[in-house]
Structures are given as structure tokens and as C-alpha cells.
Amino acid sequence: MQDSLSFAKERLEKKGFLDIDVDPTLDLEEAITRLKKEKNMILLAHYYQESEIQDLADYVGDSLQLAQMAERTDADIIVFAGVHFMAETAKILNPKKKVLLPDLKAGCSLAESCPAPVFKKFKEQHPDHVVVSYINCTAALKTLTDIVCTSSNAKYVINSVPEDTPIIFAPDKNLGAYLQKETGRENMILWNGACMVHEIFSHEKIVKLKLRHPEAKFIAHPECEPHLLEIADYIGSTSGLLRFTQESDAKEFIVATEAGILHQMQLKSPDKTFIPAPPNNMCACNDCPHMKLNTLEKLYLCMEHELPEIHIDPAIIERAKLPIDRMMEISEKAGL
Ligand code: 13P
Ligand code: SF4
């Protein structure tokens, strides 16, 4: 084991995760539960994780809720079952704690769409603008940001900026366009990024599905394209969508977001039916390939060996924390 461990450590940077064979007879659920206790670890999971990971987590939530949990925890180690920007945010909020991510290559198409050096030049062309960045971005981009937001607090964040102050919103153009419409802000420039998962839905197939299920509510995440949001009965963050399905009298829902959320919807409302919105390709699923890089085996290895760990330059942490703190204050005031 020691040999394979040192070999795996050497290859960690290239692979992104500890590539070690796990005994197939090992009860991974039992091992993960034991490690959490033994090492005083908190396991945070996003709604888009595999259901088996969600079921083991101490807390399952959306991007804001997970950041809030990471900020409040007194655990010694934070294990983040999510993507890189989420674990980075947890580290920025807890620079002294060890933050682990089962696979460092679990990225995000939105974060990738907005490289900090390119954005810096763009920002320099608009020196009078306030920069609001969606949390789905790198720590480097957060250092160029005035206020961070998530999909559940974005309207409050935009409304916190004086009306006559122009805004650069990065990196999600769909969320940005939705916010422009909702808040009536015209002085907002949008970065041209998008989420690969939320841009895959087929308008045509959804319209047909709605006709076949006339009683079903069509609900969508604001990362979806405007023409889809136009036909939605409800638009909200993952936690908002989940809440809506619990509170609504409807019995059937067509859900336009990553399919992992359906697990919690079904758990919370076992008598209701949830139909994943169909994508516009031949593939039947709308899984996020980044989120789904985390597996139970990688999670176990990461907790056992406390690797891979998130490391961020302290100067970046110091600057990137400011816009996150502002977001946290706005969220608290809004009761989120
Ligand atoms: P929320 O967690 O804010 O709903 O965002 C969804 C998402 O795409 C996370 O990557
Ligand atoms: Fe990024 Fe989209 Fe995956 Fe969320 S679902 S992590 S926004 S690529």
C-alpha cells in the first residue's frame, strides 16, 4: 500500500486524484462514516453530487448554503464533495483549516470561461464599474471582484449596488440576463460565459414534454438560456427549486437543472413525479461531467489520506475573501 501511495502522490498533480486500487470488498459507506468521526471531518455535498455521496454527507446544499456551512463549521477538516471553486471558497473562508476535494480536476465551465488575466484587461476598460461575480469562478477572479453572488442571493447583491453605478457581471451571461430582467438594471455589462449543463436543454423537446404533461410545472435554474426561462413556471437556485417542489400543490415537475437535484426532490416529496428536462442531443442525461468526477472511491481515498488538498496563496486568500464577506453580509441581512 505504501508503495502505491507514494506512486499515487507523485502522480496526484497530473491525475487530479489519488489513483490507488481500493479493496472491492471494503464497505465504503462504513469507512467514510468512520473516517468522518475519527478525524473530525465535515462532509459537504452539492445537490449535483451522486446520490450515494449526498446520502453520506453531513450537509447537502446549494453554493451559498455550502459556503455558509464551511464558514461556520468547527470541524478540523472540510471535505468538499463538489467542484473546485466551491472547495476554494471554503478554503478562503477557512485559511487555517485543511480543505479536501476528491478530484482536483472537478472544474466548472463557467469558471473556465473567465480567465483572470483576460478579465483584468476588460475591467481596466471599465474603471467606473462595480464587478459582481458569480461564485462559479476562480479565486484569482474573485480578487478582481467587488461582490460575489450565488444564484440564491444574486438579486439582493445587484440591488445592493447604487442604481446609478454601472455593473460588470461575470461570468454567466444567462444568469446576468435574468438579473437584468428581474432588477430592471440596464447599466450592466455581461461577460460571455455559460454553464455547459444548463445550455444543453432542448426548447423543442421541453415544449413537447409540457404538452404531454399539461399538469406538470416546468421549473428552471437561472443558468438556463433566456428562451427556456421564458416558458418556466418557476425560476430559482437549486435550493429554491427544491423548496418550490415541496411547497407546490403540483404533483409533477419537469426540472431544468443538473439531474443530481432530483434525488433530494424525490426524498423530500416521495409521492411526486420529477422528470429531468431533456437535453438537445442523443444523450439521455444532463449530468455535470465535473461534479460527477467525484466518486465514492475517490471520496474514501481522499478522506483516508487527506489528499488532494486545496492550497491558495495567502495574498490571494486575503483579497478574494473581501467580496465573499460582502456577499455573506448581504445574505445575512436578507435572511438567507
Ligand atoms: P446553485 O448551487 O447556486 O444553485 O448553483 C448551481 C450550480 O451550477 C453550481 O455549480
Ligand atoms: Fe459549473 Fe455548470 Fe457544472 Fe455547475 S453544473 S459546476 S455551473 S459546469
Side-chain angles (χ1 to χ4, degrees):
M1 179 56 136
Q2 192 48 49
D3 278 355
S4 66
L5 176 60
S6 31
F7 186 57
K9 278 182 181 170
E10 273 169 35
R11 288 160 48 92
L12 182 57
E13 206 170 316
K14 194 156 175 243
K15 290 221 124 186
F17 63 97
L18 279 178
D19 190 8
I20 303 173
D21 283 340
V22 176
D23 174 358
T25 64
L26 181 71
D27 182 341
L28 290 172
E29 277 92 349
E30 187 280 323
I32 288 169
T33 308
R34 173 179 49 79
L35 284 167
K36 280 201 296 185
K37 238 194 219 158
E38 276 175 15
K39 302 192 184 201
N40 190 24
M41 293 170 150
I42 185 169
L43 175 57
L44 302 177
H46 191 270
Y47 288 126
Y48 295 166
Q49 290 294 289
E50 294 289 0
S51 53
E52 51 192 7
I53 294 181
Q54 292 188 34
D55 291 345
L56 284 168
D58 295 297
Y59 193 82
V60 186
D62 70 7
S63 304
L64 176 65
Q65 294 167 330
L66 295 176
Q68 288 169 330
M69 287 307 288
E71 189 178 43
R72 288 173 201 156
T73 184
D74 55 10
D76 293 321
I77 301 177
I78 298 170
V79 186
F80 219 113
V83 288
H84 197 271
F85 75 81
M86 295 178 176
E88 251 186 0
T89 304
K91 181 70 184 175
I92 293 167
L93 290 165
N94 280 289
K96 293 207 172 90
K97 283 198 206 295
K98 195 177 260 191
V99 178
L100 307 173
L101 180 67
D103 190 328
L104 290 177
K105 296 217 163 134
C108 170
S109 65
L110 274 169
E112 279 159 29
S113 76
C114 196
V118 185
F119 183 80
K120 188 166 182 279
K121 290 202 177 110
F122 177 74
K123 183 183 162 171
E124 279 161 10
Q125 288 162 16
H126 306 280
D128 56 336
H129 285 53
V130 160
V131 177
V132 176
S133 295
Y134 193 27
I135 197 165
N136 300 37
C137 66
T138 61
L141 198 86
K142 289 183 176 83
T143 66
L144 300 168
T145 296
D146 296 300
I147 321 177
V148 164
C149 72
T150 75
S151 55
S152 55
N153 59 24
K155 277 187 229 171
Y156 296 96
V157 170
I158 296 296
N159 287 332
S160 76
V161 180
E163 236 170 278
D164 54 352
T165 306
I167 298 174
I168 298 175
F169 186 82
D172 188 357
K173 65 175 178 191
N174 294 326
L175 175 61
Y178 169 70
L179 291 169
Q180 275 179 318
K181 203 170 157 212
E182 286 291 300
T183 62
R185 295 294 282 243
E186 280 168 13
N187 51 356
M188 223 165 118
I189 313 175
L190 310 182
W191 187 262
N192 190 19
C195 161
M196 61 193 289
V197 178
H198 290 88
E199 284 223 313
I200 210 171
F201 298 113
S202 161
H203 186 270
E204 191 189 328
K205 287 188 196 168
I206 290 168
V207 170
K208 283 186 187 154
L209 200 56
K210 273 164 70 82
L211 289 173
R212 282 208 301 278
H213 299 264
E215 301 296 320
K217 295 280 179 211
F218 172 55
I219 60 174
H221 196 280
E223 288 176 23
C224 291
E225 292 173 287
H227 64 283
L228 275 190
L229 297 182
E230 263 165 37
I231 57 167
D233 297 302
Y234 175 79
I235 300 165
S237 65
T238 44
S239 59
L241 296 174
L242 180 59
R243 201 177 320 112
F244 181 81
T245 60
Q246 289 173 266
E247 290 170 1
S248 166
D249 291 336
K251 291 278 174 230
E252 233 181 347
F253 301 86
I254 301 166
V255 184
T257 191
E258 212 268 4
I261 185 78
L262 269 68
H263 179 57
Q264 291 299 323
M265 289 176 172
Q266 202 68 75
L267 281 179
K268 299 253 176 349
S269 308
D271 58 330
K272 296 184 180 178
T273 304
F274 301 98
I275 309 166
N280 58 16
N281 56 19
M282 299 314 283
C283 163
C285 73
N286 38 43
D287 282 338
C288 170
H290 304 290
M291 286 279 182
K292 295 313 198 283
L293 279 179
N294 295 324
T295 62
L296 219 49
E297 283 200 359
K298 286 182 193 170
L299 179 60
Y300 159 71
L301 286 169
C302 157
M303 293 169 75
E304 172 74 23
H305 301 290
E306 299 179 24
L307 283 170
E309 187 182 347
I310 299 289
H311 294 285
I312 311 175
D313 181 324
I316 293 187
I317 290 189
E318 199 183 328
R319 175 61 185 86
K321 192 168 183 298
L322 299 175
I324 300 175
D325 285 344
R326 281 184 201 122
M327 171 187 82
M328 292 300 205
E329 276 164 35
I330 293 166
S331 305
E332 205 183 318
K333 263 194 209 151
L336 299 172

